[in-house]
Structure formats: structure tokens, C-alpha cells
Amino acid sequence: MADSPPITLCGSLARHPARLGAAMHGAAYEALGLAFTYVPFAIDDLAAAIAAMRALGIRGLGIAVPFKIEVMALVDRLEPLAERIGAVNTVVNDDGLLTGYNTDAHGAVRALEEVTSLEGKRILVIGAGGAARAVAHALQQRGARLHIANRTAEKARALASALGATYGGLDAARRLEGYDIVVNCSSAGMKEYGAASPIPEQAIFPGLVVMDIVYKPVRTELVRAAESRGALTVHGGRMLLHQASRQFELYTGRAAPLEAMDAALKTQIALTG
Ligand code: ATR
């Protein structure tokens, strides 16, 4: 039997994995003819999974909710952006040396910039976990004015003080008139965390930009409500696409075939919602 070329393994670590990542990364490998494969792993023990990454020589792993902060202590070094943000959503393995990156920041900005500019915009960020940290830092870098609203006030305070933003509880989601954009960065709306939207439907008005970073399902209760109220809607698949394209570049060293990844995303959404 002729030797086949070695296959490089990448994947993701999540408590409840989704299919979208595998669809997009797989399409990108195929588009460029790369001998890579992508496996979404469902895990509970993050430290054991990172040890397995070292033992098995897995090239790259996406890190999903709720592991984006915990993983920082398990890698060998952090890129400066991930360190500044305080969250890692991507780990790259260079011959046994693990580096933590943050591609969520890039993904959030690119997703929002598909529909709006950000400079000077008043933005309500809901959530203060790992994903919210990345999104809030990226938006602040783009010159937006932020208010952080979180279920646990202390975490909102910590994030807001790092950014010079204002903060408070989830009540802010009931009065949106003062905002141009609202981004749900909390897990609220995710199937496994309770499908309820963190924003009451009546608070949403035409012309408001509403982005949800939840992508399981892509059409969350919030996205559905925002569409029906005439808001400009950005679903969680858009951020996922742009953060995945940056991951692809880190794993392969090649420019991401964004069109192929976008087509795979759309096909997967049409299949599973
Ligand atoms: P990730 O690293 O993916 O951001 P995380 O750090 O666990 O995940 O953060 C999850 C975020 O969603 C937090 O802001 C959390 O609020 P708390 O800080 O109060 O825990 C928020 N969250 C989770 N479930 C929620 C719910 N049902 N309603 C509102 N916020 C929720």
C-alpha cells in the first residue's frame, strides 16, 4: 500500500459542540487541497483535553464556552492581544509549544462592519465572560462608546473598569433608546443554557443594530425578535465565520478561502438552522 501523506488534526473543545466550525474549516481545507481534518470534541475536563493536544500533536483547537478564560493558564504563552483581552479562543501547537490566541475580537468587528461603522457608536454589550471581553476590547479599539451589562454585576464592573466603560445589570437591555448597537455576548439564548432572549422584544426598534454571538441555534429568539421589529440583524454565524478564517490562517499559514467558508456556513445553516 502506498504511503498517504500525514493528516494534520485540528478541532474544537466545547461542552456542547456545534457543526458549523467543522463545516467551515473542512470546506477551507478542501478548497486549498490541504491534508488537514477537523474534529469538534465534547469535553468536560479542559486540562486533560489540553494534555491530549500535546500528546497527540493536534495542531490547533478552537476553545468555546465556558473554557475561554480557564484555558489561559494551560498554554505555554499568550499572544499580546489575548493577554490584553484576558481570554483565549484558539490554541496553536508549534512542535509542542502551545500559544493562546484570540480571534473572537477580529471576528466580532468584521461581523459588525458587514452592516455598520463603529467609530463613536453607542454600544450595549451584554455579558462579561470570555467572549464579552474579546468583543468589548475590539469595539473599544474601534472608537465605540460601551456600556457593559451582566447578570453578575461584579464581572461587569471588572470588565468596564479595564476599558473605561460604564456598567450595570441586565436591566439596561429594557431601555435601548440611547444605543445604536446592542451585542449579546452572554450564553443566554443558547439551546443548552436556556433559549430565552436577554432582550425584551418590545425594547428593539427599527434601525437598531442587533448582533447575537450565540450560534446554537443561529436563529436565536433574539435574532428572530430583532428581525420582526425591523432591526438590522447580525447572527452568530457571521462572527463565527470571521474568527474561523483567522484560526485557519494560524493553523495552516495560508490565506483563508473566505468564500468557500461562507458557502459552507450557509449550507450548514440551511440544513440545521
Ligand atoms: P465565554 O467564555 O464563552 O464567554 P463564560 O465566561 O462562561 O463563557 O461567560 C458566559 C457569560 O454569559 C457570562 O457573562 C454569564 O453571566 P454571569 O457572569 O452572570 O455568569 C452570561 N450568562 C450565562 N447564562 C446566562 C443567562 N441565562 N442569562 C444571562 N446571562 C447569562
Side-chain angles (χ1 to χ4, degrees):
M1 203 172 87
D3 280 351
S4 45
I7 291 181
T8 303
L9 176 59
C10 293
S12 60
L13 303 179
R15 198 155 272 155
H16 308 284
R19 293 201 185 88
L20 297 175
M24 289 187 289
H25 283 275
Y29 302 150
E30 196 169 319
L32 298 190
L34 300 178
F36 275 60
T37 192
Y38 186 101
V39 179
F41 295 101
I43 63 148
D44 282 317
D45 186 339
L46 181 67
I50 294 295
M53 180 184 202
R54 294 180 192 274
L56 301 174
I58 296 172
R59 167 68 178 154
L61 289 172
I63 310 294
V65 58
F67 300 120
K68 293 178 180 181
I69 296 170
E70 186 187 346
V71 73
M72 294 179 72
L74 299 170
V75 298
D76 301 315
R77 58 178 193 182
L78 298 171
E79 61 148 352
L81 177 66
E83 189 158 18
R84 212 161 47 241
I85 290 169
V88 159
N89 77 311
T90 304
V91 179
V92 178
N93 181 353
D94 292 296
D95 298 322
L97 182 73
L98 304 192
T99 306
Y101 291 88
N102 194 299
T103 72
D104 277 342
H106 168 82
V109 164
R110 290 287 304 272
L112 270 172
E113 285 181 344
E114 287 181 348
V115 303
T116 181
S117 64
L118 296 171
E119 171 88 39
K121 293 291 167 67
R122 298 157 303 171
I123 305 185
L124 175 64
V125 172
I126 298 176
R133 286 188 192 184
V135 172
H137 274 82
L139 297 179
Q140 197 223 26
Q141 287 285 306
R142 280 290 204 272
R145 291 150 54 193
L146 305 181
H147 181 85
I148 314 290
N150 193 46
R151 187 174 61 178
T152 308
E154 173 52 28
K155 278 163 73 180
R157 192 196 59 73
L159 176 55
S161 71
L163 295 173
T166 54
Y167 70 95
L170 292 176
D171 282 5
R174 295 205 207 117
R175 298 177 303 276
L176 298 178
E177 303 79 24
Y179 297 102
D180 306 298
I181 301 170
V182 50
V183 186
N184 175 40
C185 302
S186 80
S187 319
M190 204 173 138
K191 221 165 43 197
E192 293 83 0
Y193 290 75
S197 166
I199 300 174
E201 181 158 348
Q202 321 77 267
I204 300 170
F205 52 87
L208 180 69
V209 175
V210 177
M211 175 158 118
D212 200 343
I213 75 157
V214 173
Y215 52 84
K216 270 191 343 158
V218 167
R219 206 172 146 71
T220 55
E221 192 53 34
L222 173 58
V223 166
R224 191 206 54 70
E227 282 172 3
S228 85
R229 300 281 292 179
L232 220 54
T233 307
V234 184
H235 64 63
R238 302 314 297 165
M239 173 166 153
L240 196 67
L241 168 69
H242 292 294
Q243 71 78 24
S245 76
R246 174 74 39 111
Q247 286 179 329
F248 176 89
E249 293 174 358
L250 289 169
Y251 300 160
T252 67
R254 304 277 299 269
L258 199 62
E259 273 178 29
M261 296 177 81
D262 198 359
L265 172 72
K266 287 179 174 138
T267 303
Q268 192 64 38
I269 290 172
L271 284 173
T272 57

